[in-house]
């Protein structure tokens, strides 16, 4: 890829054309906060926390760093007064919506926000979409999605009923930044209460401990075109 020159936080550097601002910043140790970004998923720019200031030809605008590709010579400010003000407002809104979520409280503390100016609610989901994208892009089953509109928008299964597509793999919980999705393995069954999903667990052929949903093992066997016995031993007992 051809390289272009940009200025980021006052320093001129060369980057590969098409690289995002966020990736460029990360490579150079420049901190940009994110909540909806994951390196294994396509950028979504839902949380807006990665907002930075971009200038070219005497004009500046605010853009999200995670999905802004560098295609021309520009100046990027990742920590200007304008950027800090916008991020602070975003975190204040998130703190009002999810006052008991640790990662939100930590961000608020980082920005010296003690109490939000806005009315408090009791949510734990910030609609970042990481769980939806992981289910679709990585797992490939699309068991969950955004449902509802406006203030009623949330993540759930289609029509809010038990999804036959869910394999209870736990990818949604793994990428969730707020802990809104909890998994419980009990009495040989894995349950994801938020999405009305439960599946029986497989026992390890060596230690007899439950370790993965049977339907997940069947899915992996089919997707990877490998014998089922390759997935019948838990990670602890695998040689």
């Amino acid at each position: 890829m051809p390289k272009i020159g940009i200025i980021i936080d006052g320093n001129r550097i060369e980057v590969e054309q098409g690289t995002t601002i966020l990736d460029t910043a990360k490579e150079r140790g420049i901190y940009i906060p994110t909540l909806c970004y994951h390196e294994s998923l396509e950028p979504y720019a839902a949380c807006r926390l990665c907002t930075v200031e971009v200038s070219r030809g005497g004009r500046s605008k605010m853009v999200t760093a995670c999905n802004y590709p560098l295609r021309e010579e520009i100046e990027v400010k990742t920590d200007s007064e304008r950027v800090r003000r916008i991020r602070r407002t975003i975190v204040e809104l998130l703190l009002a919506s999810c006052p008991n979520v640790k990662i939100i409280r930590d961000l608020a503390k980082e920005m010296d926000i003690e109490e939000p100016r806005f009315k408090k609610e009791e949510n734990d989901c910030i609609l970042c979409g990481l769980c939806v994208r992981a289910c679709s892009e990585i797992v490939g089953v699309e068991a969950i999605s955004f449902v509802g509109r406006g203030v009623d928008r949330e993540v759930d299964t289609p029509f809010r009923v038990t999804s036959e597509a869910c394999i209870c793999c736990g990818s949604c919980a793994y990428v969730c930044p707020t802990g809104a999705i909890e998994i419980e393995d009990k009495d040989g069954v894995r349950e994801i209460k938020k999405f009305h999903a439960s599946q029986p667990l497989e026992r390890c052929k060596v230690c007899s401990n439950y370790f993965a949903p049977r339907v997940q093992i069947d899915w992996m066997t089919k997707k990877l075109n490998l014998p089922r016995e390759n997935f019948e031993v838990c990670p602890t007992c695998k040689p």
Side-chain angles (χ1 to χ4, degrees):
M1 291 286 289
K3 291 194 172 184
I4 58 171
I6 69 163
I7 297 173
I8 183 166
D9 291 343
N11 299 310
R12 176 169 284 279
I13 61 172
E14 283 195 344
V15 299
E16 286 190 358
Q17 192 173 32
T19 306
T20 66
I21 293 175
L22 182 60
D23 285 340
T24 299
K26 288 174 67 178
E27 288 172 6
R28 285 155 180 81
I30 299 172
Y31 172 65
I32 296 178
T34 63
L35 281 174
C36 70
Y37 173 81
H38 193 285
E39 59 272 9
S40 299
L41 299 169
E42 286 295 314
Y44 189 57
C47 71
R48 320 305 288 183
L49 259 186
C50 68
T51 296
V52 296
E53 188 173 358
V54 167
S55 302
R56 183 174 184 270
R59 295 185 176 183
S60 67
K61 61 180 178 179
M62 311 306 287
V63 303
T64 43
C66 68
N67 65 344
Y68 190 94
L70 294 164
R71 304 194 187 281
E72 56 190 359
E73 293 190 6
I74 58 173
E75 180 178 1
V76 179
K77 296 178 181 178
T78 69
D79 194 34
S80 66
E81 178 59 35
R82 191 179 175 191
V83 167
R84 289 194 296 271
R85 187 168 62 250
I86 288 174
R87 287 184 190 160
R88 184 182 174 86
T89 300
I90 291 170
V91 171
E92 238 187 310
L93 287 165
L94 289 171
L95 184 62
S97 177
C98 308
N100 298 314
V101 172
K102 184 180 184 304
I103 194 171
I104 304 299
R105 295 201 309 268
D106 289 346
L107 281 167
K109 184 178 180 181
E110 183 182 305
M111 297 182 183
D112 295 321
I113 301 170
E114 295 184 2
E115 287 292 328
R117 293 168 289 171
F118 313 104
K119 181 181 177 181
K120 283 188 178 181
E121 300 176 7
E122 292 294 334
N123 299 315
D124 55 9
C125 175
I126 59 172
L127 299 178
C128 67
L130 279 172
C131 58
V132 175
R133 287 179 286 145
C135 188
S136 174
E137 297 175 25
I138 296 177
V139 185
V141 299
E142 299 183 338
I144 55 178
S145 62
F146 286 109
V147 298
R149 295 182 179 182
V151 295
D152 295 322
R153 188 170 173 82
E154 61 181 329
V155 177
D156 209 331
T157 54
F159 306 106
R160 297 183 175 89
V161 297
T162 300
S163 172
E164 296 181 1
C166 180
I167 60 175
C168 286
C169 64
S171 296
C172 54
Y174 178 79
V175 298
C176 177
T178 65
I181 305 170
E182 296 182 357
I183 295 177
E184 182 179 31
D185 290 353
K186 185 178 180 181
D187 299 328
V189 175
R190 172 169 293 176
E191 185 175 7
I192 305 178
K193 295 180 180 179
K194 185 174 180 65
F195 302 133
H196 334 288
S198 63
Q199 292 288 348
L201 294 167
E202 185 86 351
R203 285 185 183 272
C204 172
K205 296 295 184 182
V206 177
C207 66
S208 296
N209 289 328
Y210 292 112
F211 73 101
R214 292 171 192 164
V215 68
Q216 181 185 357
I217 293 174
D218 293 338
W219 175 86
M220 292 173 68
T221 299
K222 183 178 180 180
K223 184 171 184 177
L224 300 176
N225 195 26
L226 292 172
R228 196 179 193 281
E229 52 263 31
N230 285 20
F231 306 98
E232 293 181 340
V233 176
C234 74
T236 303
C237 294
K238 276 190 176 180

